Amino acid sequence: MRADAARNRELILDAACHAFADRGPDVPLEEIAAVAGVGVATLYRRFPTREDLLEAVASRHIELYEKALRKGLADPDPWRGFSGFVRAATEIQARQPGLAEVLMVPCHGPDEARSAAVFEGYLELVHRAKLDGSLREDYVPEDLPMLLMANAGVLRGTSATAPRAFKRLVEYLLQAFSCPSRRPLPAPPTPAQMHRAMNNPAD
């Protein structure tokens, strides 16, 4: 990529991060282009669709998830490793509440392998905690995306007035995850259903 094209891409991403954080994922792309100081045509050359731009913004945060995953996997206590990763994922959302839903967009392209590696590491955390007996057996991987969706809603409603309220939700759910199963849970969403929900949150 030529230097000027690479510079324009970073300017657009900087503007998009701030715009999405302040006003959510539906902010007009024309406004993002104006803040970035580039033409709308330049924005669309770099990011042909809104989804492409959302994905690029989300990919900037992969390093934060990778760091949280490394810490979780390095912890000798399986429950502490699993619950620490869950807390870290919700903290990443809380740093920029307006991006809470954007950060759940699955990554494709160059960052797809990194995103997949984070998910595989998360599955290892789940496996270790179940093997240890500290995570309930009927927990499924799709429960974390549901938690993050719920957290996004809490952040959207409370970030301006009670910015730490989300922590109470997370701790409630972690306690539920760690409790022995007393009654059967409703059937979880399938991986395909959750994938569609994460890609099309308004549907």
Side-chain angles (χ1 to χ4, degrees):
M1 188 182 295
R2 297 199 325 268
D4 57 340
R7 183 174 63 252
N8 285 341
R9 186 180 191 278
E10 291 307 307
L11 288 172
I12 292 168
L13 283 176
D14 287 342
C17 282
H18 287 99
F20 291 148
D22 289 341
R23 298 175 55 190
D26 297 323
V27 61
L29 299 187
E30 292 78 6
E31 293 185 19
I32 293 175
V35 171
V38 302
V40 175
T42 298
L43 185 150
Y44 279 108
R45 277 198 299 274
R46 301 274 76 81
F47 307 100
T49 68
R50 179 180 298 274
E51 289 68 29
D52 292 328
L53 183 55
L54 291 171
E55 182 183 301
V57 169
S59 75
R60 277 191 164 189
H61 292 77
I62 290 180
E63 186 174 349
L64 298 176
Y65 290 105
E66 291 173 329
K67 181 179 178 180
L69 177 65
R70 288 194 296 269
K71 184 176 180 180
L73 290 173
D75 197 313
D77 183 292
W79 172 253
R80 199 165 55 207
F82 167 80
S83 60
F85 178 75
V86 172
R87 291 188 184 98
T90 59
E91 287 279 0
I92 291 168
Q93 284 184 307
R95 290 181 190 181
Q96 293 183 296
L99 291 178
E101 290 168 334
V102 174
L103 297 182
M104 294 184 295
V105 175
C107 292
H108 302 288
D111 291 306
E112 185 171 8
R114 294 173 66 198
S115 181
V118 169
F119 186 73
E120 288 300 317
Y122 157 66
L123 294 182
E124 176 61 21
L125 291 174
V126 170
H127 173 72
R128 292 197 321 173
K130 283 189 176 183
L131 199 63
D132 177 66
S134 54
L135 178 62
R136 55 190 298 163
E137 276 299 317
D138 51 0
Y139 179 91
V140 295
E142 291 71 38
D143 286 332
L144 179 57
M146 283 199 296
L147 183 157
L148 294 176
M149 288 178 181
N151 192 49
V154 170
L155 290 169
R156 187 167 55 248
T158 65
S159 60
T161 56
R164 310 312 288 173
F166 79 97
K167 287 180 171 290
R168 187 172 178 87
L169 169 72
V170 174
E171 293 306 316
Y172 264 131
L173 292 174
L174 282 173
Q175 287 184 35
F177 295 162
S178 68
C179 290
S181 302
R182 300 180 184 274
R183 298 177 182 174
L185 292 170
T190 66
Q193 287 172 327
M194 188 54 64
H195 179 77
R196 288 197 298 272
M198 293 170 68
N199 278 281
N200 302 286
D203 288 355

